Each structure stands twice: as structure tokens, then as C-alpha cells.
Amino acid sequence: MRSYKAKAVTPIRLPDREGRIEALDAAGHNVFNLDSDAVYVDLLTDSGTGTMSDEQWAALMRGDEAYAGSSSFARLQSAVSDVMGFEHVIPTHQGRGAENVVYGSLLEEGDVVLNNTHFDTTRAHVANQGAEAVDCPVEGAWDREATGEFLGNFDVAQGREIADEVGAERIPVVVTTITNNSAAGQPVSLANIRETAELADELDAWFVVDACRFAENAHFVKEREPGQGDRALADIAREQLSYADAITMSGKKDALVNIGGFAAIRDDDLFERAKQRAILYEGFPTYGGLAGRDIEAMAVGLREAVDPPYVAERVEQVATLGELLQEAGIPIVTPTGGHAVYVDAGELLDHIPTERFPGQRLVCELYREGAVRGVELGSFAFPGADRPDYVRLAVPRRTYWREHLEHVAETAAAVREQREEYVGLEIVEEPPMKELRHFSARLEPVEE
Ligand code: F0G
């Protein structure tokens, strides 16, 4: 069942094989360099690529573009208060803006931050303050065949050990990311959020929740956590955040908008400090780098995100993509998470060594075979990190239909058929910062 129908559509075309081969060559075997109109099903990210509702489009017209005291900001405040339980809100241009505002206000050189798993931009903002980002994922978080209901959890015992090693005074912030994007979008249980908050309390640290996909996480809690099944989704969503001193939010995920984000903060003093930083980097604290209309759409989207049929369909659609891929013989991380299916390219193309980027090869072949765009999250994107060669197929919200997902699975099946023929890739051009190479580097096939 679908609880919505289309009102506006965007034409898409599948370029012919020759066109796809040409586009891939011109892009230097890097799908970030492709023009989007050469892509048929775009699963590069679920961030800002979803479809807004008619209510959100209508809200754009109500946007109050006042520099200060915008009524759109007041509507965002009220939505954040109702849906997330925070009274102090600072809008930002997107999630990483919120990270800058929060971590820039909390961290100093030499500090250590614990997180179930830092998302890339979170890690970068921690590092930018001269602090060290340490991950505490549970065992199995990276294992594609691990079973578990909440593989996104924070390993609290590990966090405690690290605190004993480095000293609690060096850890001013403990974070949990829901769902855990870097661990295949796996959910975090309510019980675990509570325990992580207790750890933060023991360490006398601030407890921050990266709330990007809080609604999807709440759905898993309702489905899987003992004693939660009869509760309203909105209650669970709020309780998850009730333990946090602050949250960072990318509106491009579970606020269902194309751009925007915010930080929400409980403590009055921290809020004042963060506002000063927001003025410096984002804008006056009632617009924060956004147009009033963007804020207005975010306020509406936040409420829609906790509508139970919407979230259930969303998470089920991701699961459906996973099932279709499995039927096509593709090795994926199971159970599937909330926003994406992660394919184990290291296993599918096990004749290509990790230093020849099997994940990137798979990304290229999905494009060449069916103009499907995914993203590599292995040895190419994370040089030197000990990560499996996964490819992420992220599903934009309210955007694609089952037919699109079937096309993705058929494309993957065709790629699998020909897998023996594929060779690895080598980088022939890359930017100075290795950490950012996957966004712009150029590669070429290499026979060896
Ligand atoms: N935190 C998490 C868990 C994220 O997934 C993202 C973005 C951010 C923070 C930063 O938010 O992009 O609005 O600045 N993730 C996107 C992705 C880019 O493709 O997973 P942003």
C-alpha cells in the first residue's frame, strides 16, 4: 500500500548503451562526475533528493523572508518542540552546519568524542576542532551476515573502556547517531540510547544525538524492541531524543526537504554560545543560512516524517529493494537498514583486490548496465580504513516506485552474470586531500 500519490512528476530517460559508456568515460569512472540527466535511477544518496508533499510546496508560499524574527522560524520552533521535544532551535543550511555550530561550541584541542559511528562530516567537524573522533560500534556492525535487531547500537562497555584509558576529563561529548548510517543504516534501540546517555552522565559529558534519521529509527524501535509495539510512533520518536542535551539534524533526511537543517539545544548557556557561532557561520539565528520558505517546508516535513504509514512504507521499500537484490543473487548486508541497501562488492567481485577498488568497479558497472547510480563506501572512499568494500544504494524518500527498484535488481543481476569479465581500477588523477578523493578523482581500468 502507498499512503500518497504523485501530483508532479519529473521525466527520466534511460540513455542507450553507447551513451552510458561515453558518459562513464567522460566522468573518469567516477559517478559523482556524471550529469544527473544521464542517470535513470539515482541511488547516490537519500539526502535532499526526496519528494516534498503538496502541503510542503504550499508552505513555501507562506515563507516569511524577514531577516530577524521570521514567522517561519516560529513555525519551525513549534514543530521541533512538538515532534522532538526541544524548545531552543538554531536553523542551519544543512546537517553539517548544525555540527559546526554544536561541536564548535563544545570541543577543544585534545578532546575525544565517542560515537556509535561518526558519519564523515561529523568526524571532520570533530577533527576540525583538534579533537579525536572514536567509534564504538557493537560487534557485528560491519559484518554483513551478523544477525541482530539493533546492530547500530553504541557499545557502551567499549565507551567506558576508552574513557578509562584516555581519562573522562578528555571526553566532553558522547554522541549517538540514529540510525547508524556508517553501519549500514542499522537502528539503535531505545534501551541503548538510555544507556549511552547514562555513560555520558557518568563522564560528565554532553550527550548529543545525530537525529538525521530519527523517524526511521523510531519505526524500528516500534517494530523490534520488546514493549514498544503498542506505543505511538511519535511518542517513541520523542522519547529517543528526550535523553539528549542537544541534537544535530539534517532536514534533508527525516524532515523531508531538499535543503536545511538545525541544531536543538536544552541548556540555556550552551544555546547562547551556539547562537553566536551560528551568526558567524550560518546567519542570524532565526534564518540560519536558509530562506524563510525552506524553513517553512522543513517545519511541515518534520511533522509528516512521524506519520506511521509514511515511515512504514519508507522502511519497507528499502527492505523490498534488498529482497529483490537477494533474489538476483547479490550479496547484501542483512537485515536491511532504514535508508539504503549495502551491497558487498568485495564478495561479488572477489577476483578484484581491495586496492583495485571492487566497490567502485561495481558502481561503474551498475551505471554502464542500467544507468543506476550508487556510491562506493570502501577502499576508494575511505583510504587506509579497514572497511569492507560496500556499495550503498540509498533510496530517496517518496520518489521511486517498485518498477524502478525492479530495474535496479535486473541491472544488478546482469552485472553479476558478467562479473568475471570486470577488472579493477586505478586512480589517474586525484585532489590534494585524500579524504575527499572519491568526490572528484578520475580512474581507469587496469589489467593485472
Ligand atoms: N549525519 C549523518 C548521519 C548523515 O548521514 C549526514 C549526511 C550528515 C550528518 C550531514 O548532513 O549532508 O545535511 O550536511 N549524509 C548524507 C549521506 C550526505 O549521503 O549519507 P548534511
Side-chain angles (χ1 to χ4, degrees), residues 342-355:
Y342 291 68
V343 177
D344 190 343
E347 183 172 328
L348 184 65
L349 305 181
D350 59 6
H351 59 290
I352 302 180
T354 189
E355 60 278 10

Side-chain angles (χ1 to χ4, degrees), residues 120-135:
D120 324 358
T121 57
T122 323
R123 190 181 305 282
H125 275 293
V126 168
N128 200 36
Q129 299 306 316
E132 190 189 343
V134 179
D135 294 339

Side-chain angles (χ1 to χ4, degrees), residues 90 101-102 105 263 265 269-279:
I90 303 173
V101 163
V102 169
S105 304
I265 292 169
D269 290 338
L270 178 60
F271 177 53
E272 285 310 317
R273 271 194 285 146
K275 266 201 299 197
Q276 298 313 309
R277 193 168 171 91
I279 293 172

Side-chain angles (χ1 to χ4, degrees), residues 121-293:
T121 57
T122 323
R123 190 181 305 282
H125 275 293
V126 168
N128 200 36
Q129 299 306 316
E132 190 189 343
V134 179
D135 294 339
C136 305
V138 291
E139 202 163 319
W142 280 115
D143 177 356
R144 82 165 191 87
E145 279 172 340
T147 50
E149 313 247 87
F150 292 102
L151 289 168
N153 276 359
F154 189 116
D155 185 339
V156 176
Q158 193 188 336
R160 210 164 267 128
E161 273 171 34
I162 294 165
D164 286 343
E165 263 167 48
V166 304
E169 67 291 347
R170 279 187 63 200
I171 307 180
V173 183
V174 174
V175 189
T176 199
T177 305
I178 62 172
T179 54
N180 191 341
N181 186 6
S182 308
Q186 298 293 319
V188 178
S189 72
L190 254 187
N192 185 254
I193 296 176
R194 244 181 261 125
E195 284 166 31
T196 312
E198 280 164 22
L199 171 68
D201 205 37
E202 277 167 40
L203 303 178
D204 204 16
W206 299 91
F207 181 46
V208 178
V209 173
D210 177 334
C212 291
R213 299 180 178 87
F214 78 104
E216 291 161 12
N217 199 76
H219 172 80
F220 284 111
V221 167
K222 186 173 160 71
E223 290 284 298
R224 296 182 182 174
E225 194 159 342
Q228 301 299 323
D230 293 332
R231 289 181 68 191
L233 182 86
D235 281 350
I236 297 173
R238 240 190 330 266
E239 189 189 333
Q240 298 174 125
L241 308 176
S242 67
Y243 306 103
D245 298 305
I247 59 173
T248 56
M249 178 71 189
S250 169
K252 302 169 77 171
K253 283 84 168 176
D254 278 354
L256 306 176
V257 286
N258 303 120
I259 194 69
F262 54 88
I265 292 169
R266 244 179 260 291
D267 180 81
D268 294 341
D269 290 338
L270 178 60
F271 177 53
E272 285 310 317
R273 271 194 285 146
K275 266 201 299 197
Q276 298 313 309
R277 193 168 171 91
I279 293 172
L280 194 60
Y281 288 101
E282 297 290 319
F284 189 76
T286 61
Y287 77 85
L290 293 170
R293 56 182 171 274

